[in-house]
Amino acid sequence: MARRSAPLLRRLVAAASPPAPQPLPGHGGGLARRTVTYMPRPGDGTPRAVTLIPGDGIGPLVTGAVRQVMEAMHAPVYFETYEVRGDMPTVPPAVIESIRRNKVCIKGGLATPVGGGVSSLNMQLRKELDLYASLVHCSNLPGLPTRHEGVDIVVIRENTEGEYSGLEHEVVPGVVESLKVITKFCSERIAKYAFEYAYLNNRKKVTAVHKANIMKLADGLFLESCREVASKYPGIQYNEMIVDNCSMQLVSKPEQFDVMVTPNLYGNLVANTAAGIVGGTGIMPGGNVGQDYAVFEQGASAGNVGNEKIVEQKKANPVALLLSSAMMLRHLQFPSFADRLETAVKRVVAEGTYRTKDLGGTSTTQEVTNAVIANLD
């Protein structure tokens, strides 16, 4: 009886099952989901000027990849290019004026001398344009195996004060004093930005990273500001974590984090650690934003200039800056171009045929770029 009933049962189940989903027209024959259309305002398709700084080291290679992909997509942007090197004494005034005029910039890495020489041009840009929020998105990419899965962390870092205030002096020979400056104003606005980001992106939790057990006044003020802002967002979970414990938790259980908000120095360390967990700095997008201007670049600072061997072999990974340029396109209200670019980059990474050395491959920057262009819808 059981043997005779099994085929009948299978036929009944098959008859009751819903039909297989059909490919939607206009989506390359694959399965897709229609979304409500984006309705632009009149004039939104007008090409936008973007300031481009190729930078040092691998910068010209990866910004060159961005240029090529934008041209292949016929994206409504054009570039004003300025040569800036990290060993310049200051950012040329013409560059600052270009960013003020265009409101948006994309850049390669700028080398900063260690232990002497000129001050960081990256810091000069942030302070001159008041780019007070740094955002780095660290998440697993499909097809790229890592030790941890399910990681999707956004690190939001205060960008203008803290240990990066640049206030150092020699008190007496052999004794140097370096000042860490934390203000209520800057702490409150970075906390507001973090919670606003979480709210607008349907994120569930914000973690404030601190060292208030030791720096009770400075980091205590930062925490006080975060708590005040958190009270205005009851729908978003808020917690706090001491930075040393945070470092351990990041490498052992990174999937617990969602949005992280940090003072300046901690954010740099946390973002680079999180990037390493999910595949390295070569794939992490990011940007710096203020009230009026935005500068997009590779998210994590480690390796953003590369080394001479990578430059000579032309094997720099362009993925991070390509994804950062997708962030830029969304910022400019060109969502379909951003989606096309992000989808193409993720396809190339997932297929695995074209990967640079840092991702276990042997491809050149140009080969990866060509693959991304070939995968554009």
Side-chain angles (χ1 to χ4, degrees):
M1 180 68 180
R3 290 193 187 93
R4 281 192 226 111
S5 300
L8 176 61
L9 182 60
R10 282 196 292 270
R11 287 198 299 273
L12 290 172
V13 170
S17 299
Q22 297 299 310
L24 291 177
H27 288 80
L31 295 176
R33 183 180 63 187
R34 288 196 183 279
T35 57
V36 176
T37 188
Y38 161 66
M39 186 176 74
R41 296 163 298 183
D44 273 0
T46 304
R48 292 284 303 272
V50 173
T51 305
L52 174 66
I53 302 174
D56 295 317
I58 65 172
L61 288 172
V62 293
T63 55
V66 170
R67 273 182 175 275
Q68 293 179 56
V69 174
M70 292 293 178
E71 290 173 5
M73 286 199 302
H74 304 290
V77 297
Y78 61 94
F79 297 103
E80 294 179 2
T81 304
Y82 291 86
E83 296 300 326
V84 180
R85 300 185 311 277
D87 59 1
M88 289 179 169
T90 61
V91 179
V95 178
I96 299 294
E97 178 56 34
S98 174
I99 299 174
R100 290 190 189 279
R101 181 173 61 252
N102 298 330
K103 309 294 185 185
V104 175
C105 170
I106 190 161
K107 63 182 280 291
L110 293 172
T112 300
V114 177
V118 298
S119 62
S120 168
L121 297 193
N122 295 304
M123 286 175 55
Q124 286 186 32
L125 272 175
R126 295 167 195 164
K127 291 185 177 182
E128 182 72 26
L129 301 170
D130 196 25
L131 303 170
Y132 68 84
S134 166
L135 186 150
V136 182
H137 190 184
C138 303
S139 62
N140 293 111
L141 292 184
L144 187 64
T146 60
R147 184 182 297 273
H148 298 280
E149 297 298 328
V151 179
D152 187 8
I153 303 171
V154 173
V155 181
I156 294 176
R157 160 193 175 194
E158 204 291 320
N159 224 8
T160 60
E161 58 175 19
E163 294 85 352
Y164 287 64
S165 299
L167 301 174
E168 295 184 308
H169 64 277
E170 189 173 43
V171 182
V172 296
V175 179
V176 172
E177 188 174 61
S178 180
L179 301 180
K180 170 178 176 173
V181 177
I182 297 288
T183 65
K184 176 74 170 178
F185 173 78
C186 289
S187 298
E188 193 171 78
R189 71 176 179 173
I190 195 64
K192 286 180 178 176
Y193 184 82
F195 276 91
E196 187 174 65
Y197 174 89
Y199 170 68
L200 293 174
N201 288 276
N202 196 30
R203 294 280 182 155
K204 308 303 182 186
K205 181 170 70 171
V206 173
T207 301
V209 182
H210 66 95
K211 192 65 178 172
N213 58 325
I214 302 299
M215 285 171 271
K216 299 182 184 295
L217 292 179
D219 285 22
L221 179 58
F222 174 78
L223 281 187
E224 176 187 310
S225 302
C226 289
R227 290 167 185 167
E228 289 177 4
V229 174
S231 67
K232 300 174 184 177
Y233 291 84
I236 298 174
Q237 182 184 348
Y238 170 70
N239 70 331
E240 300 168 355
M241 193 171 291
I242 296 173
V243 65
D244 35 355
N245 180 36
C246 174
S247 301
M248 186 272 289
Q249 295 289 338
L250 264 177
V251 298
S252 60
K253 196 178 177 184
E255 61 277 2
Q256 70 182 284
F257 296 105
D258 191 352
V259 175
M260 306 174 77
V261 60
T262 77
N264 208 333
L265 177 62
Y266 309 154
N268 191 19
L269 304 177
V270 166
N272 281 275
T273 302
I277 289 167
V278 292
T281 58
I283 61 172
M284 293 300 106
N288 308 279
V289 67
Q291 190 65 41
D292 300 309
Y293 313 107
V295 175
F296 296 87
E297 59 186 339
Q298 177 178 307
S301 59
N304 66 352
V305 176
N307 57 54
E308 290 184 10
K309 186 175 181 180
I310 294 176
V311 175
E312 290 170 1
Q313 296 178 345
K314 298 184 177 180
K315 290 189 174 183
N317 190 347
V319 167
L321 201 63
L322 287 172
L323 291 176
S324 296
S325 64
M327 289 175 58
M328 179 189 75
L329 288 170
R330 288 201 181 94
H331 179 79
L332 291 171
Q333 299 295 316
F334 299 136
S336 65
F337 287 94
D339 292 344
R340 289 172 60 201
L341 175 52
E342 183 178 348
T343 299
V345 171
K346 289 183 175 180
R347 280 178 185 163
V348 171
V349 174
E351 288 168 1
T353 305
Y354 297 99
R355 291 180 179 176
T356 48
K357 185 177 180 180
D358 57 314
L359 301 184
T362 59
S363 300
T364 63
T365 307
Q366 190 60 56
E367 288 170 340
V368 176
T369 304
N370 292 342
V372 170
I373 292 172
N375 276 276
L376 289 170
D377 287 332

